[in-house]
């Protein structure tokens, strides 16, 4: 089946307000301290300017509350908070950046050439990176399952995308955009891929369950469709 049969014609809306068009992209770095350990990560946002600005300010607020509880986090956190505040203050309309980000995740400007497999790559990467660490076992699971679901799945391309993409939007944000782009068959195929990855180790943890629940809600996937 050709990729065109998975698409619908629709305009991309902001995944947060779901009213305005996509206008900009931003990445907010953060640090979390755990007494003797710390975690450095980032969240990527794509949406209208007001919503993305709120997300950046929200990330700065969260860091101001809980980003201090280790020596390293205590030293790094002020710089990241200031960086996100400056980003929010100077955030502007940037359609070219939006187009580039959508193209990266398999949604080109011309929806007739949409790449469903590349969308699968992006969502799988978002799931793999959701906990702030990338494990080889998760990558191999995504590759093995991807080869069964997508006829043109390419391990080399998947690995390259995994290494090069540092700021993949969250699964929930991508799902809202995809809901306006894919038809029912395309949505179901993508969901089955992520569901299979999550349960590949025999246990769907709480973070994966939450992501799958959000994805199913946004894409209107029913449990009986998975059988």
């Amino acid at each position: 089946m050709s990729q065109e049969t998975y698409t619908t014609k629709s305009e991309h809306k902001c995944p947060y307000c779901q009213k305005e068009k996509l206008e900009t992209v931003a990445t907010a770095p953060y640090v979390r301290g755990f007494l003797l350990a710390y975690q450095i990560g980032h969240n990527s946002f794509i949406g209208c300017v007001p919503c993305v600005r709120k997300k950046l300010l929200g990330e700065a607020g969260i860091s101001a509350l809980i980003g201090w509880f280790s020596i390293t986090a205590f030293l790094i956190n002020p710089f990241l908070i200031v960086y996100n505040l400056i980003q929010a203050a100077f955030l502007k309309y940037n359609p070219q950046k939006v187009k580039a980000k959508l193209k990266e995740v398999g949604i080109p400007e011309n929806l007739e050439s949409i790449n469903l497999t590349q969308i699968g790559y992006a969502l799988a990467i978002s799931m793999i990176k959701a906990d702030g660490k990338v494990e080889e076992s998760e990558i191999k699971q995504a590759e093995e399952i991807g080869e069964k679901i997508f006829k043109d799945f390419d391990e080399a391309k998947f690995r390259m995308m995994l290494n090069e993409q540092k700021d993949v939007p969250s699964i929930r944000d991508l799902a809202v955009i995809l809901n306006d782009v894919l038809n029912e068959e395309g949505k179901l195929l993508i969901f089955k891929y992520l569901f299979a990855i999550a349960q590949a180790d025999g246990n769907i943890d709480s973070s994966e369950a939450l992501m799958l629940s959000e994805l199913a809600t946004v894409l209107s996937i029913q449990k009986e469709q998975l059988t």
Side-chain angles (χ1 to χ4, degrees), residues 22-220:
L22 297 180
E23 297 175 335
T24 193
V25 176
T27 298
Y30 65 81
V31 62
R32 301 288 183 260
F34 307 100
L35 296 182
L36 298 178
Y38 67 93
Q39 177 188 44
I40 296 178
H42 57 267
N43 288 315
S44 181
F45 307 113
I46 181 170
C48 66
V49 171
C51 286
V52 173
R53 180 175 289 116
K54 287 179 184 177
K55 288 291 182 180
L56 290 171
L57 292 173
E59 191 59 57
I62 292 172
S63 294
L65 288 174
I66 61 173
W68 309 99
F69 305 113
S70 81
I71 294 175
T72 301
F74 185 82
L75 295 173
I76 296 175
N77 201 34
F79 297 99
L80 300 187
I81 291 174
V82 171
Y83 176 77
N84 288 330
L85 290 175
I86 291 174
Q87 270 203 103
F90 292 95
L91 190 69
K92 61 183 180 180
Y93 179 67
N94 194 333
Q96 293 305 317
K97 199 170 182 180
V98 170
K99 289 178 184 178
K101 180 56 59 180
L102 290 177
K103 186 176 181 180
E104 276 184 23
V105 299
I107 309 174
E109 192 171 3
N110 176 12
L111 290 181
E112 291 184 356
S113 60
I114 195 168
N115 189 324
L116 195 69
T117 305
Q118 193 167 339
I119 291 172
Y121 296 159
L123 289 169
I125 291 168
S126 187
M127 175 174 276
I128 290 170
K129 291 185 174 183
D131 59 0
K133 55 185 178 181
V134 177
E135 297 181 358
E136 182 63 24
S137 59
E138 293 179 325
I139 298 173
K140 286 190 175 296
Q141 287 173 351
E143 291 172 342
E144 291 171 3
I145 296 167
E147 289 173 348
K148 296 176 183 177
I149 292 180
F150 303 104
K151 294 181 179 179
D152 57 343
F153 191 94
D154 188 309
E155 287 187 15
K157 288 182 180 178
F158 178 69
R159 294 267 178 166
M160 185 180 298
M161 193 168 172
L162 179 69
N163 293 328
E164 292 181 352
Q165 282 196 291
K166 307 300 182 184
D167 52 354
V168 181
S170 72
I171 285 179
R172 187 263 175 196
D173 293 355
L174 287 175
V176 174
I177 298 170
L178 292 174
N179 194 46
D180 293 331
V181 173
L182 299 179
N183 63 17
E184 297 305 313
E185 189 175 1
K187 294 174 189 178
L188 184 58
L189 190 65
I190 288 295
F191 185 83
K192 284 183 174 179
Y193 178 41
L194 295 190
F195 184 78
I197 293 173
Q199 67 171 3
D201 59 0
N203 176 52
I204 300 179
D205 64 34
S206 58
S207 62
E208 290 173 334
L210 179 59
M211 283 188 287
L212 289 171
S213 176
E214 290 180 337
L215 186 62
T217 298
V218 173
L219 299 182
S220 300

